[in-house]
Amino acid sequence: MDVPAQPRTQAPPARIRIQLPRPTIEEGRWPIKRTVGDTIAVSADVFRDGHEVLRAVVRYRGNGDRRWSEAPMVPLDAHHNGVRWAGEFTIGSVGPAQWTVQAWVDVFAGWRDEIARKLEAGQIDMSGETSEGLVILREAAERASGDDRSALEATVAALESGEPVALALDANLAAIMERVAERSEVTELAKPLDVYVDRELARFGAWYELFPRSFGGFRGVQEQLPRLAELGFDVLYLPPIHPIGHTNRKGRNNTLVAGPGDPGSPWAIGDEHGGHDAIHADLGTFEDFDALVAAAKEHGIEIALDFAIQCSADHPWLTEHPEWFNRRPDGTLKYAENPPKKYQDIYNVNWNSEDWHGLWQALYDVLRGWVDRGVTVFRVDNPHTKPVAFWRWLIAEIRRDNPEVIFLAEAFTRRAVMRELAKIGFSQSYTYFTWKNSGWELIEYVGELAHTEEAQYFRPNFFVNTPDILTDYLSHGGPPAFPVRLVLASTLSPSYGVYSGYEHFEHEQRPGSEEYLDNEKYELKQRRLDGPLLPMVQRLNHVRRENPALQRLENVRFLETDNEALISYAKREGSNVVVCIVNVDFTWAQEGACHVPYDLGVPPAFVVTDLLTGDRFDWHVGRNYVRLDPSERAAHVLRVETP
Amino acid sequence: MDVPAQPRTQAPPARIRIQLPRPTIEEGRWPIKRTVGDTIAVSADVFRDGHEVLRAVVRYRGNGDRRWSEAPMVPLDAHHNGVRWAGEFTIGSVGPAQWTVQAWVDVFAGWRDEIARKLEAGQIDMSGETSEGLVILREAAERASGDDRSALEATVAALESGEPVALALDANLAAIMERVAERSEVTELAKPLDVYVDRELARFGAWYELFPRSFGGFRGVQEQLPRLAELGFDVLYLPPIHPIGHTNRKGRNNTLVAGPGDPGSPWAIGDEHGGHDAIHADLGTFEDFDALVAAAKEHGIEIALDFAIQCSADHPWLTEHPEWFNRRPDGTLKYAENPPKKYQDIYNVNWNSEDWHGLWQALYDVLRGWVDRGVTVFRVDNPHTKPVAFWRWLIAEIRRDNPEVIFLAEAFTRRAVMRELAKIGFSQSYTYFTWKNSGWELIEYVGELAHTEEAQYFRPNFFVNTPDILTDYLSHGGPPAFPVRLVLASTLSPSYGVYSGYEHFEHEQRPGSEEYLDNEKYELKQRRLDGPLLPMVQRLNHVRRENPALQRLENVRFLETDNEALISYAKREGSNVVVCIVNVDFTWAQEGACHVPYDLGVPPAFVVTDLLTGDRFDWHVGRNYVRLDPSERAAHVLRVETP
């Protein structure tokens, strides 16, 4: 129990209390997340015993700032002497930032307030009050200069000569005192609160995933860049590009024995030519890779690499650092498994190794090497199966020199664990989106992500599919289901992703599984960017860039539709308002009404433009008829046209 | 930003994570409050990367305990590998207590789980797995003794001789291992969480307030004790018992000039005979006071004193310690005021005095003196107008030697400030109850008190009136309004209070104010405990003592009534279920239905007894007709009879 000791300091303990600052995560335990240029709205309870007039500011400091800046805070309910104060600030640099609240007593304002109330109540003898004011004004005059000083001295002289104290109520005097008065009883939060400020890409981006071997290696991928840029993708994510093990290599469809031509899973990392810091010879050279990264940047695209901590039996670390791997007492090596599931082609590292320190450093060195080659986005494979403390350390270490690096957590696991990974530093996370297919599931899930404390730290990246995930909804729904999920992902979440093949409506599952039949993980494919869904992808990516409302998550608001197969939501950012209506039933046409609430901030009657078709409709506050036939279209993405 | 340093410790950082322990206030910043004997139900997220089997316990330590005790925690959703664990413990001593969560890896259970899954999946070669199990079992055998040791050695020998590993699935072996296995990767919360454990009286008690001068001083009050005990009161609270100042003494009805016989307000403390440590001569001697305190205890009643930090102009401190008071630069003393309101008969201390340290100590000494005389309940006058830091220090200092002392905060101010006072140590607080007169206001207010984080620290004491508060509801409603508020206070809140005169239906306000006409604060009255409402008071106090459900707040559940003038709520504690229905309309009879929900835990049909009248009714789950006519009765207080 924290029993305060007998007071011994010279000054009495602070009388101003500053409590419950927001936004915070668990009262400030973890940094909240924002992106560069965001306005951060903050608030706190500020109060003190007595009738003094309080002032407050928010103080903040971005990465690299030597000094703190200040922005005003105002009481939200001054009339009722409310305790809640609010303010806002903007940080322009990427990296760790801090803010705090400072409050103080405005002695002059308190005195002024007191005499005003007494004069209004008709008090005649104000000599005692005047003597108090004179002390305040004389002290201020000494600190002031120029006109301010002259004015203060004149006021002092007037009061000394017996002029009525009412002259001190002059607004000009208040303005002078605001400039020259010293802050009294200055109090701040016990410690500043943390913000991690990311690049905008951490919040808003369209991801495309492809296997470079299916496009002819790095050079082949480089040829696709103009098309990918035209399609509007921001990130091109590549599964592991390292040598693939031979021992126990998986065959097609995850079979235990690979055929002679089978390339193996890229996640079985390492062979005699190298491990996590090497490149698979079939994909190209380091020069080819560097060229790809550079060319992508020129097209406004970032190459994201996969960071997967596991090794094939042929990875150099198994012989160089056998102490980093789990061995049974009988000497056998333990391959990765989740009994009864087995991953015979890979070995996990032993996090309890006596040389855990060397292991951590080696993994850091791997990542550092790719960052130094210009890679600043990583999709981290299964972070939840590695120690949280390791990730916290690794991310902080990398960001010490490269605060711009973005980490996407590929964690499909228990909610609390996914949240924890986000709190300790991951910029984004994969989500349960693929399995939220009905309207109510989406409303519940997105509502939690957008409107609870989770919104301060957990940034979802809504992938419509992954090499591991082809859901029953897509598999059973076939081509009509694909645009539904595409529109939902790209308009609900500012970050979303598509894995190659989606645009071709690939929807055949390996029997008994949620995986693709003839999964690209285990075989070589020949792919081209010519899928029939790509025009819609391109259109949506364009719409997302043109409409700031679609670049945020926390602004989502779900609307009534009178039909549970129709999900509708509005997003507003400044004057940009977008309303989406999606028919999640891929079989039947659905009718309903989109209820535009009176407090959405739109005119009573207005025009909406369907950003997917260019159609225009007359809409109004209240119920607006909608009908969506999956054979024609999956959704309306409507922009409210302001007159 | 807290960037974790490069790891340097010998062991790797903990892989087990223990997060979001509950109940807490602001993630553990302040102690939660409980009373002796309460079962404290706790929970936390407990997880780790990997497939290890985790165990967890709650560890706790009461005031004076040298060692920590342990109670088991269980996963709330083990089947789905959920992260939430729960447990409970009880603390039997008054004062500060602590608890934490400890979790560890159960190595044997993890191994056992793995082989069970593999055997079930049909794996044949278990030699590697067996070699792992042997290491665990051999180590355990070395630690074990007696039969456990023999059994473990036999298992080891059997496995060594090639017996199938399935024999390790034996339940008896699991029980032995539970006894002898060491905890691996033991992890606890970063720091323990605090509980302040009070006496039961801090939670549950009926208070009566009287001016001792209106009952003939301490001896006269002592004569009332048998009657007060019979009425069922637990605390007898006396306004300040100290000498009253002469200078600027207030006259009847708060007039500026006292007549010759006017006794003055007891809150204008101090005259030439003494201050806060003295007794008003008209009330009796210290011997009389000690006798009163002792006699009260014999009747099961505690005397509560008023602790009001202000001084009349005649208080000894004004001459002995002029530095403790506010003086204007012109030398005039500032009396207490809240402009334009003035309190000409009292002076506030100067908390910013250079000798603030001496002032704090003097106030501590005052309180210490009364505690040493056996007073362990204090009603603190206007704590919100004094520094929070002072109260935090004072309460902790007093409780260092006397953890049983109860502090009731007489703070009628902004919600955040009232909450803060409760967080820093006040045991109870006055509330907004007097101004919550409609059903919806009561449901909203009590719901917040009972069902939010506030319930962990803010204990309301529902006074039906005070010397300062005679509400419009009572004043306009007259006698029929009084039982309404009495039933609400005594059945909604475990702590409630009545100020003398209420039982006589005194309801005449001083015009233009919410105060009593001819307020007892300013004049001498002759009072007797013979008010017509006392039989109902006595009955309610008896009912409260007989029904544990009425001794708690957090168990309140509001029920539908189909009539907004009828407020209904149920409380359950163990098998004791009480349902109240109150007609808050003091003018008209009101009809409605009390909806007993299916999940209240009562039989489909049951008998209720009206504890105020003895009437019995047949009730059932669902709608039960009720009619309350204020000319007959204000409320039903129904106990559900269990067959």
Side-chain angles (χ1 to χ4, degrees), chain B residues 315-337:
Chain B
H315 194 291
W317 283 354
L318 270 87
T319 43
E320 290 166 16
H321 293 285
E323 70 278 12
W324 290 351
F325 296 87
N326 280 312
R327 246 165 232 284
R328 291 216 174 76
D330 69 356
T332 52
L333 205 57
K334 286 188 83 160
Y335 47 70
E337 55 183 359

Side-chain angles (χ1 to χ4, degrees), chain B residues 440-517:
Chain B
W440 72 265
E441 285 172 309
L442 285 161
I443 291 170
E444 179 183 74
Y445 185 55
V446 175
E448 287 168 5
L449 294 175
H451 302 142
T452 70
E453 194 172 273
E454 199 164 6
Q456 302 299 336
Y457 60 91
F458 188 94
R459 294 199 194 98
N461 193 330
F462 279 5
F463 271 77
V464 290
N465 65 332
T466 80
D468 289 327
I469 303 171
L470 171 63
T471 60
D472 291 348
Y473 183 91
L474 292 171
S475 177
H476 299 169
F482 281 64
V484 174
R485 301 295 300 175
L486 181 69
V487 172
L488 288 170
S490 62
T491 58
L492 279 170
S493 179
S495 291
Y496 90 107
V498 174
Y499 151 63
S500 184
Y502 191 88
E503 66 268 27
H504 289 284
F505 305 126
E506 288 178 6
H507 65 282
E508 221 172 324
Q509 292 172 336
R510 179 153 55 84
S513 87
E514 203 182 35
E515 286 198 18
Y516 282 88
L517 183 69

Side-chain angles (χ1 to χ4, degrees), chain B residues 238-522:
Chain B
L238 312 180
I241 59 172
H242 318 298
I244 298 172
H246 310 290
T247 310
N248 291 329
R249 175 177 286 189
K250 292 290 182 87
R252 290 172 177 241
N253 284 309
N254 202 19
T255 46
L256 277 178
V257 183
D262 288 345
S265 162
W267 282 273
I269 294 168
D271 72 359
E272 64 281 7
H273 300 299
H276 288 76
D277 49 5
I279 286 178
H280 196 297
D282 292 353
L283 298 180
T285 63
F286 274 100
E287 289 67 41
D288 295 333
F289 179 76
D290 293 344
L292 172 63
V293 170
K297 284 211 172 121
E298 278 170 28
H299 284 93
I301 293 174
E302 292 207 38
I303 300 296
L305 287 190
D306 195 298
F307 187 56
I309 305 178
Q310 62 245 354
C311 301
S312 86
D314 312 308
H315 194 291
W317 283 354
L318 270 87
T319 43
E320 290 166 16
H321 293 285
E323 70 278 12
W324 290 351
F325 296 87
N326 280 312
R327 246 165 232 284
R328 291 216 174 76
D330 69 356
T332 52
L333 205 57
K334 286 188 83 160
Y335 47 70
E337 55 183 359
N338 180 7
K341 279 196 212 166
K342 294 165 190 283
Y343 307 96
Q344 296 90 341
D345 56 344
I346 50 171
Y347 295 87
N348 283 330
V349 299
N350 176 13
W351 295 103
N352 288 349
S353 166
E354 291 201 359
D355 186 35
W356 63 273
H357 192 171
L359 172 64
W360 285 31
Q361 190 61 45
L363 291 165
Y364 168 82
D365 291 343
V366 163
L367 213 53
R368 167 55 52 202
W370 294 111
V371 171
D372 289 346
R373 293 206 99 87
V375 177
T376 46
V377 182
F378 293 91
R379 177 266 200 195
V380 177
D381 190 74
N382 278 320
H384 58 291
T385 63
K386 286 93 190 171
V388 171
F390 166 72
W391 293 120
R392 190 171 183 205
W393 170 81
L394 182 75
I395 292 171
E397 282 294 295
I398 290 290
R399 283 187 177 154
R400 197 191 298 277
D401 298 318
N402 295 84
E404 74 279 17
V405 175
I406 292 172
F407 294 88
L408 166 63
E410 190 249 357
F412 296 104
T413 182
R414 298 165 287 173
R415 190 79 174 262
V417 180
M418 293 169 69
R419 286 176 172 149
E420 179 95 343
L421 291 167
K423 287 174 192 167
I424 59 97
F426 279 92
S427 328
Q428 299 190 338
S429 179
Y430 280 72
T431 70
Y432 303 153
F433 169 70
T434 38
W435 303 287
K436 305 289 182 184
N437 292 296
S438 65
W440 72 265
E441 285 172 309
L442 285 161
I443 291 170
E444 179 183 74
Y445 185 55
V446 175
E448 287 168 5
L449 294 175
H451 302 142
T452 70
E453 194 172 273
E454 199 164 6
Q456 302 299 336
Y457 60 91
F458 188 94
R459 294 199 194 98
N461 193 330
F462 279 5
F463 271 77
V464 290
N465 65 332
T466 80
D468 289 327
I469 303 171
L470 171 63
T471 60
D472 291 348
Y473 183 91
L474 292 171
S475 177
H476 299 169
F482 281 64
V484 174
R485 301 295 300 175
L486 181 69
V487 172
L488 288 170
S490 62
T491 58
L492 279 170
S493 179
S495 291
Y496 90 107
V498 174
Y499 151 63
S500 184
Y502 191 88
E503 66 268 27
H504 289 284
F505 305 126
E506 288 178 6
H507 65 282
E508 221 172 324
Q509 292 172 336
R510 179 153 55 84
S513 87
E514 203 182 35
E515 286 198 18
Y516 282 88
L517 183 69
D518 304 329
N519 193 318
E520 196 170 4
K521 282 163 74 175
Y522 308 110

